Amino acid sequence: MKKGILIALVAALVGGLTAFFVSRAYAPESAEMVMSSDGAQYRTVNLSLDDYPDFTYAAESAVDAVVYVKVTVKDVRRSAPNSLFDFFFGYEGTPQSRERVGSGSGVIIRPDGYIVTNNHVIEGASKIEVTLNNNKTYEATLVGTDPATDVALIKIEAQGLPVIPFGNSDKLRLGEWVLAIGSPYDLRSTITAGIVSAKGRTMPNYTGEFKIEAFIQTDAAVNPGNSGGALVDKAGNLVGVNTAIISQTGSYAGYSFAVPSNIVKKIVDDLIDYGSVKRALLGVTMRPLDEKIASEMKLSSLNGVYITEVLKGSAADKAGVKEGDVLVAIDSVRLTNAASVQENVNKFHPGDKAVLTVIRDGKEKKLDVTFKGTAEETGTVDESGAVAFYGSKIKEASGETLQKLGLKRGVEIVSVGPGKIMDAGVSEGFVILYVNDQPVSKPQDVINIIKKSKRAVYIEGVTPYGKSSYFGFGI
């Protein structure tokens, strides 16, 4: 009996000591119990420095690779007529040239002088100057631009420059700390911190231009002049290029947007290797999923996109995608919305292969796809007889179309894709009547005239509603 009591006492003592040491091991060393004047107890904890977010490494390792970009843009204007004689006889005024100066930021991505920035920072620039963090200034040359993603690549003649390594923007998590580095309001090498507020954001597009948007949204303070600067993670890796803010005042209003680094890397690699962006095209029109579609198709979630149209002869068409399918994944990447589709397709080059996962008749279906380019070479004839025309397709206008519009001849734009025609704001159904003042009646007429053009193309025609219209573009 005594032996049993002794064993129980020893066991209790050992258990108590174990609990004490375990609690001490896992409790903060600086934790203290404090007694208030009314007898209540509360705990104060002073965390060590290691327990706080520390941005010093990321800031100090990245700041030297973020540069100040100064651009000079020349505007040419004509003076007003000086007299009634000038006015009535069409005097256009004397050309007057003036210079505008703008600024932004850039990120050195290679030690031999390649710098990524925003297209809108350097657009129209007659001169680009880059100032490093050590105050050395270089004149930069433009390597290439991609307006669809607002990415541009410039180069300075220098070696051994500091760089920011590319990170994987796909692995960014909501709430993760990031730093924005740039030159807002000419305040060079300014560093602000925030968290990833959202991913895959898009913004209203009022111009109708083709854009690829899957922005990283952050609450790091970004202002005019930050454009083209770096968004880095805590390890000092480039996860985005700051590009835009939404604000009623034009200044920081609590959130900003960056182009993901995975998109940026693909764009700059193409510009360096090919001189232009080799963009893959799936060839579908899509819309977000809603409760009605999800209910009708018995979907378990609203992730994915509903396919409303499949372009004939496109990569999606050849893969077997059908109108009414719900696209939910490309390879192993699950899709949430149209922005995520654009972001993932943009990672591929024409000719690359992938596996599309669609939901059809309540079942998942795997489809092998080979991506096509954004535009076939102008003049190429496809299976339907349509001729590629700067990202779009043209055919001889049908008798029905000519009769409807009261025309005797013309060349119809039967589809519009990313390229010069889309950029000009032209829609399907436009009938081309004249190219550079020469009448056309079949696609080859258009191609032959353009081949002889040296600088620009001027096209006159009729809209699908019978209204005379015209547009032009440089070549």
Side-chain angles (χ1 to χ4, degrees):
M1 182 70 176
K2 292 181 179 180
K3 185 177 180 181
I5 294 173
L6 181 62
I7 292 173
L9 289 172
V10 171
L13 179 61
V14 170
L17 289 171
T18 301
F20 172 76
F21 286 114
V22 168
S23 64
R24 285 297 299 269
Y26 285 93
E29 293 182 5
S30 57
E32 295 181 4
M33 188 68 73
V34 179
M35 184 76 72
S36 66
S37 59
D38 61 359
Q41 291 183 343
Y42 62 92
R43 186 181 297 275
T44 63
V45 180
N46 295 317
L47 296 175
S48 67
L49 289 176
D50 292 340
D51 294 317
Y52 286 100
D54 185 358
F55 305 126
T56 55
Y57 173 79
E60 291 173 356
S61 63
V63 69
D64 286 338
V66 179
V67 303
Y68 174 74
V69 179
K70 177 183 174 182
V71 298
T72 302
V73 180
K74 286 187 177 180
D75 287 334
V76 178
R77 296 184 177 182
R78 293 183 178 273
S79 60
N82 295 319
S83 65
L84 287 176
F85 180 86
D86 292 338
F87 180 82
F88 284 112
F89 287 90
Y91 175 72
E92 295 182 349
T94 304
Q96 296 177 338
S97 178
R98 70 183 184 94
E99 291 186 344
R100 289 186 294 110
V101 176
S103 65
S105 304
V107 185
I108 304 173
I109 58 170
R110 281 186 19 174
D112 55 349
Y114 283 95
I115 297 169
V116 65
T117 184
N118 285 146
N119 176 65
H120 76 260
V121 170
I122 54 82
E123 189 173 19
S126 57
K127 184 179 181 181
I128 305 172
E129 290 182 336
V130 167
T131 302
L132 307 186
N133 198 38
N134 62 8
N135 290 323
K136 288 185 177 180
T137 299
Y138 299 83
E139 188 163 340
T141 56
L142 180 62
V143 177
T145 65
D146 183 44
T149 54
D150 198 22
V151 172
L153 187 66
I154 58 179
K155 189 178 187 304
I156 60 175
E157 295 304 319
Q159 297 290 333
L161 298 174
V163 302
I164 302 181
F166 277 99
N168 186 349
S169 54
D170 288 346
K171 291 186 177 180
L172 277 178
R173 300 179 63 185
L174 299 181
E176 182 175 342
W177 284 101
V178 286
L179 302 180
I181 309 176
S183 301
Y185 300 117
D186 282 347
L187 298 171
R188 317 271 177 97
S189 305
T190 295
I191 303 170
T192 57
I195 61 168
V196 175
S197 306
K199 296 171 65 178
R201 285 288 198 222
T202 60
M203 290 189 292
N205 180 8
Y206 301 109
T207 64
E209 295 175 305
F210 173 68
K211 289 186 178 296
I212 293 176
E213 296 181 340
F215 294 122
I216 300 165
Q217 181 181 325
T218 172
D219 63 352
V222 169
N223 281 292
N226 270 111
S227 291
L231 189 73
V232 301
D233 60 18
K234 288 191 298 181
N237 297 313
L238 184 69
V239 292
V241 171
N242 299 313
T243 190
I245 58 176
I246 292 181
S247 169
Q248 294 181 342
T249 64
S251 299
Y252 175 68
Y255 40 78
S256 52
F257 302 89
V259 182
S261 60
N262 286 2
I263 290 181
V264 174
K265 188 176 188 308
K266 193 263 183 184
I267 298 300
V268 298
D269 285 348
D270 279 2
L271 292 175
I272 292 171
D273 294 340
Y274 308 112
S276 62
V277 180
K278 302 297 182 182
R279 180 168 287 120
L281 186 68
L282 185 57
V284 297
T285 303
M286 51 196 166
R287 56 170 288 192
L289 292 177
D290 55 29
E291 294 285 355
K292 181 180 178 182
I293 295 175
S295 176
E296 291 174 353
M297 301 188 69
K298 298 180 180 179
L299 303 175
S300 59
S301 77
L302 296 180
N303 288 334
V305 293
Y306 183 78
I307 304 300
T308 59
E309 183 183 2
V310 180
L311 187 63
K312 188 174 181 181
S314 67
D317 183 36
K318 291 182 180 295
V321 179
K322 298 183 181 298
E323 181 181 328
D325 285 348
V326 175
L327 179 62
V328 295
I330 298 176
D331 278 348
S332 58
V333 180
R334 306 300 291 187
L335 306 172
T336 56
N337 52 29
S340 65
V341 175
Q342 283 190 326
E343 182 180 8
N344 282 281
V345 170
N346 194 55
K347 297 173 186 175
F348 294 93
H349 287 95
D352 288 348
K353 300 179 185 295
V355 177
L356 306 178
T357 302
V358 301
I359 297 178
R360 184 185 300 166
D361 300 326
K363 298 179 181 179
E364 279 199 357
K365 189 175 182 66
K366 305 287 185 181
L367 303 173
D368 294 323
V369 65
T370 301
F371 291 103
K372 289 191 171 185
T374 53
E376 297 175 66
E377 184 179 352
T378 296
T380 304
V381 182
D382 67 13
E383 297 169 353
S384 68
V387 178
F389 183 55
Y390 293 103
S392 302
K393 297 288 182 71
I394 55 176
K395 269 187 172 183
E396 185 173 348
S398 66
E400 181 182 353
T401 298
L402 295 176
Q403 184 178 5
K404 173 186 172 184
L405 298 174
L407 303 172
K408 294 183 178 180
R409 53 165 180 78
V411 177
E412 183 178 359
I413 298 177
V414 294
S415 70
V416 177
K420 295 181 183 295
I421 307 303
M422 176 179 282
D423 292 343
V426 182
S427 61
E428 293 179 12
F430 185 97
V431 177
I432 301 171
L433 299 178
Y434 297 90
V435 177
N436 290 353
D437 292 327
Q438 299 181 54
V440 295
S441 58
K442 54 184 182 294
Q444 198 57 48
D445 295 340
V446 177
I447 302 302
N448 290 341
I449 295 169
I450 288 176
K451 284 181 179 179
K452 297 176 183 178
S453 302
K454 294 181 179 180
R455 297 182 59 187
V457 174
Y458 180 75
I459 293 176
E460 300 172 74
V462 177
T463 69
Y465 309 103
K467 182 180 179 181
S468 296
S469 185
Y470 58 88
F471 64 93
F473 53 87
I475 57 174

